Amino acid sequence: MAVLLAAVLLAGCARSVAGTAETEQWSPTRAAGLEITSGQSGPRPGVPDTGLTAVNGDGGEIDRLALNAVEDVQRYWAQELPATFGVPFAPVRRLFSYDSTGPGPVVCGTDTTGLVNAFYCPAEDTVAWDRGELLPTLADTFGTMSVVAVLAHEFGHAVQFRLGVGGSTSSIVREQQADCYTGAFFRWLAEGNGPHYRLATGPGLNQVLGTLFFIRDSTEVGFDTDGAHGNAFDRVSAFQFGFGDGSGRCARIDETEVRGRITQQSAAAVVPGDDGNLPVDDPDALAALLSTLRAAFGPNTAPIVGTTVADCPEGGRTAPVSYCPATGTLGLDLAGLAAIGTARSDGGDGIGDFAAFAEIASRYALAVQQAAGLPLRGVAAAGRTACLTGFWAGTITAGRGAPLALSPGDLDEAVAEMLAPESLIAADVDGRSIPSGFARVQAFREGFAAADPAACADLFR
């Protein structure tokens, strides 16, 4: 985050964000309308492998996972493309597997030696993947559904080609559409339609969102850079649009829509080597943070702030920051917050400054809810908390004149925190978080897009 020399925002500031999806009434047991399930995700047991083959494949486990994923993805689009767009779906002409760790063949004019990637080539109607490093790394880190996610994304580009979306379309629009189409396909999987793969909407979706986080653009890539794919927040948003609203929503993503809601900076704004991280325990940074919170929610909701996490007679003790309803006190463990705020790139084991600041904002949001007479316990309270934290984040976007402003990578840090096993950003006063990482991020995003904090109380009840 960056501290700016500017005046504090007016209380209760309103804004609008173009291109956001319409949302149904929230349910604590659902993710985009589907029941949150904690069952198995991955290959269906006892199902024969597909008969598809890949040029240059080695017949190994990774190619087997990839080809079964291709079979499911093409099965989906064979139904979806004619049903939604009135266009028949022809299977891609060629599937190609290569090993980036050895001498690579040339695919679509590209030498694959050292090419840790998966891609779609329109000129040859080919989907290619690296079985040597990319897919094994993702499978080991996030599980087999990450392999499916990568292949589904590349087939999103094949769908674009079949719908006439050409090279004149900017890369960020093409990538946002492909992430959205990936979400639409995973909705189909979650509904139990996949011949080879099954998806639980709890941990299974977390694997997929974790994959998108892993393959996000770095903070030194602008959304208008050729080849830009998007930061984690924008990629997850596009995926959620498709998962919640279907492939028709994806086709409506265009330059105007993307520029109206994208949070990734432009190439002109990139400052090489500047990660924007502030020391979380710095008094000036904390003072700026608290002023933005008062500006977002009004001075009458402000809690008393202390630098210790004290016992609370009615519960409400969480680490490293807590809110005690009985005393109206926000307690900060500065050492614990600094540990979260010091990212690994800066020599720490944490996530980054915004993750720590957002955890403070989440406990502050409990004081806002208490002032409005809302309950502070339960999953609805956790949803409101994530939503209000997202609303606050939306009030400090760059250029709004806040004393503390979002810097590149900040919203990705929030995504990382919310995809952790437990998330304070999306937790009630006792630290009980929404069970689904997908639902946590969705709640935060709803607040980020809201014009008024009252929208969070309307949605999460």
Side-chain angles (χ1 to χ4, degrees):
M1 304 190 77
V3 176
L4 304 179
L5 300 176
V8 176
L9 296 173
L10 296 176
C13 62
R15 68 195 185 285
S16 61
V17 178
T20 56
E22 301 230 349
T23 304
E24 61 184 40
Q25 182 61 43
W26 180 79
S27 166
T29 62
R30 292 180 176 270
L34 289 184
E35 287 292 329
I36 297 173
T37 55
S38 57
Q40 294 295 313
S41 294
R44 291 186 181 276
V47 175
D49 291 332
T50 177
L52 295 173
T53 59
V55 176
N56 197 51
D58 68 353
E61 177 68 7
I62 289 298
D63 276 351
R64 186 182 70 83
L65 292 172
L67 290 167
N68 283 336
V70 169
E71 167 96 0
D72 281 16
V73 174
Q74 294 201 132
R75 182 79 61 93
Y76 167 72
W77 284 114
Q79 301 169 14
E80 184 68 10
L81 210 61
T84 300
F85 301 100
V87 175
F89 177 76
V92 296
R93 187 178 306 163
R94 186 172 65 154
L95 305 171
F96 201 105
S97 169
Y98 65 91
D99 184 349
S100 66
T101 65
V106 173
V107 181
C108 203
T110 300
D111 183 357
T112 58
T113 303
L115 184 63
V116 184
N117 201 2
F119 58 93
Y120 171 68
C121 172
E124 298 180 4
D125 196 28
T126 294
V127 170
W129 60 84
D130 168 26
R131 68 172 183 271
E133 185 171 345
L134 176 66
L135 295 191
T137 299
L138 290 174
D140 289 344
T141 305
F142 300 105
T144 55
M145 296 313 293
S146 63
V147 174
V148 184
V150 168
L151 271 299
H153 176 91
E154 299 311 326
F155 269 86
H157 292 308
V159 168
Q160 291 171 329
F161 181 70
R162 283 149 175 76
L163 291 175
V165 176
S168 61
T169 304
S170 70
S171 62
I172 191 65
V173 170
R174 294 197 307 271
E175 298 303 333
Q176 284 277 286
Q177 282 189 351
D179 284 337
C180 185
Y181 286 138
T182 303
F185 163 72
F186 272 94
R187 175 60 174 252
W188 181 80
L189 272 190
E191 290 173 342
N193 298 307
H196 294 93
Y197 286 94
R198 54 186 175 173
L199 178 72
T201 51
L205 271 180
N206 281 5
Q207 288 183 17
V208 178
L209 299 188
T211 303
L212 294 176
F213 180 86
F214 184 79
I215 58 178
R216 71 196 187 280
D217 285 339
S218 74
T219 57
E220 296 189 358
V221 175
F223 73 85
D224 48 355
T225 301
D226 187 35
H229 281 62
N231 62 23
F233 186 78
D234 295 332
R235 297 198 71 170
V236 168
S237 293
F239 178 94
Q240 290 187 324
F241 293 156
F243 191 92
D245 299 326
S247 63
R249 169 69 175 87
C250 309
R252 297 197 298 273
I253 294 177
D254 58 16
E255 201 71 39
T256 300
E257 194 263 1
V258 165
R259 287 180 178 266
R261 65 169 168 78
I262 205 82
T263 64
Q264 188 174 6
Q265 66 181 346
S266 68
V270 170
V271 179
D274 180 16
D275 63 6
N277 268 331
L278 295 171
V280 175
D281 53 358
D282 177 71
D284 291 337
L286 287 173
L289 167 66
L290 293 172
S291 19
T292 64
L293 288 164
R294 288 191 295 270
F297 300 117
N300 295 332
T301 64
I304 302 165
V305 180
T307 55
T308 59
V309 178
D311 289 332
C312 185
E314 298 177 0
R317 183 184 174 97
T318 54
V321 55
S322 68
Y323 176 68
C324 180
T327 61
T329 302
L330 187 72
L332 310 178
D333 170 7
L334 294 181
L337 286 164
I340 292 172
T342 306
R344 294 183 180 182
S345 59
D346 295 325
D349 294 324
I351 302 172
D353 64 344
F354 186 75
F357 286 135
E359 288 196 352
I360 297 173
S362 77
R363 303 304 88 187
Y364 192 107
L366 292 164
V368 174
Q369 295 174 69
Q370 185 177 27
L374 296 167
L376 304 185
R377 289 182 169 87
V379 284
R384 279 194 302 274
T385 299
C387 183
L388 289 169
T389 305
F391 174 80
W392 159 75
T395 67
I396 61 169
T397 52
R400 296 184 61 84
L404 196 70
L406 292 177
S407 65
D410 277 347
L411 291 177
D412 290 0
E413 293 170 12
V415 171
E417 198 273 0
M418 287 185 283
L419 292 181
E422 298 295 333
S423 166
L424 203 59
I425 292 175
D428 72 2
V429 70
D430 294 321
R432 290 189 294 263
S433 54
I434 299 172
S436 161
F438 181 98
R440 295 171 193 169
V441 176
Q442 186 178 34
F444 181 96
R445 181 169 57 80
E446 291 296 339
F448 187 84
D452 190 276
C456 297
D458 291 339
L459 186 59
F460 299 93
R461 52 187 174 173

